[in-house]
Amino acid sequence: IMDIPPTSSKSSLPHTDKTANKPKPKTKGNPHKEGIFSPIVVAAGSVLGQEQLNQIRAKAISLHSDIIKSFVDTSDSELGKSVLKQLFNIVDVDGSGYLDKKEVGTALKLLGFKWLEEKHVEKIFERADLDENGEICLDEFVLEAPKTLRTNLIKLAKSNGGDMGLLV
């Protein structure tokens, strides 16, 4: 014998749930992707608690950003100027002694700055091209490169940290 629940005498029509057609609210899951370090980060969050993990993570990101800034700030030293000159020569693929927009855009992509769109490369180029001749000479490059590197190396570090699962 089957147990059949009693039906209401009010209506012989099947009951419809008025909330069934409403879209379910999106859950606030972690937007960061899994990576090689995700299991360690999840375990650390379980042991330390999410708040303390976030404090440690914020401190590590701050220290790493400071290291990047300090590294870029060496651009004023003899070593820094030498490195920038070598970087300029690598980017100057046609050997003209000047960089055009295409060379700058290619170099930025090769550095891993994949978020930079054409309009961003254009602005960087315009900022660097102080004499507005459509080319960037070594002196202009040495002035602009540290600013661009400082900003984008920090973004790259955060992106890489996310790719490795450090932000889950």
Side-chain angles (χ1 to χ4, degrees), residues 24-93:
K24 294 181 181 178
K26 293 183 180 180
T27 58
K28 292 185 178 183
N30 192 332
H32 300 289
K33 63 182 174 180
E34 298 281 322
I36 192 165
F37 293 111
S38 296
I40 296 168
V41 173
V42 170
S46 296
V47 172
L48 299 171
Q50 202 60 41
E51 186 175 331
Q52 188 172 2
L53 175 64
N54 287 342
Q55 289 173 354
I56 292 169
R57 191 173 7 217
K59 182 67 174 172
I61 290 170
S62 175
L63 289 170
H64 191 245
S65 296
D66 289 346
I67 290 168
I68 291 170
K69 291 173 188 173
S70 295
F71 167 73
V72 172
D73 287 345
T74 65
S75 63
D76 290 337
S77 70
E78 287 305 312
L79 176 64
K81 289 176 186 176
S82 175
V83 169
L84 286 173
K85 184 176 181 178
Q86 288 177 10
L87 183 58
F88 180 88
N89 290 332
I90 291 168
V91 174
D92 182 19
V93 293

Side-chain angles (χ1 to χ4, degrees), residues 51-153:
E51 186 175 331
Q52 188 172 2
L53 175 64
N54 287 342
Q55 289 173 354
I56 292 169
R57 191 173 7 217
K59 182 67 174 172
I61 290 170
S62 175
L63 289 170
H64 191 245
S65 296
D66 289 346
I67 290 168
I68 291 170
K69 291 173 188 173
S70 295
F71 167 73
V72 172
D73 287 345
T74 65
S75 63
D76 290 337
S77 70
E78 287 305 312
L79 176 64
K81 289 176 186 176
S82 175
V83 169
L84 286 173
K85 184 176 181 178
Q86 288 177 10
L87 183 58
F88 180 88
N89 290 332
I90 291 168
V91 174
D92 182 19
V93 293
D94 65 5
S96 66
Y98 295 92
L99 304 180
D100 60 29
K101 288 178 192 170
K102 184 178 178 188
E103 289 171 320
V104 171
T106 300
L108 292 169
K109 294 292 180 202
L110 288 173
L111 285 169
F113 304 157
K114 56 189 173 211
W115 53 86
L116 291 176
E117 298 173 9
E118 185 69 32
K119 65 183 179 180
H120 300 117
V121 174
E122 181 79 31
K123 285 184 180 184
I124 291 168
F125 191 89
E126 287 174 8
R127 230 181 16 240
D129 186 16
L130 297 175
D131 59 7
E132 299 178 0
N133 67 348
E135 302 175 309
I136 298 174
C137 68
L138 176 61
D139 291 336
E140 292 169 325
F141 180 81
V142 168
L143 289 173
E144 178 58 33
K147 297 174 211 166
T148 300
L149 288 172
R150 179 179 291 112
T151 301
N152 290 289
L153 285 172

Side-chain angles (χ1 to χ4, degrees), residues 3-20:
D3 283 328
I4 301 174
T7 59
S8 169
S9 61
K10 293 182 183 176
S11 170
S12 61
L13 296 175
H15 175 69
T16 57
D17 185 3
K18 293 178 183 177
T19 61

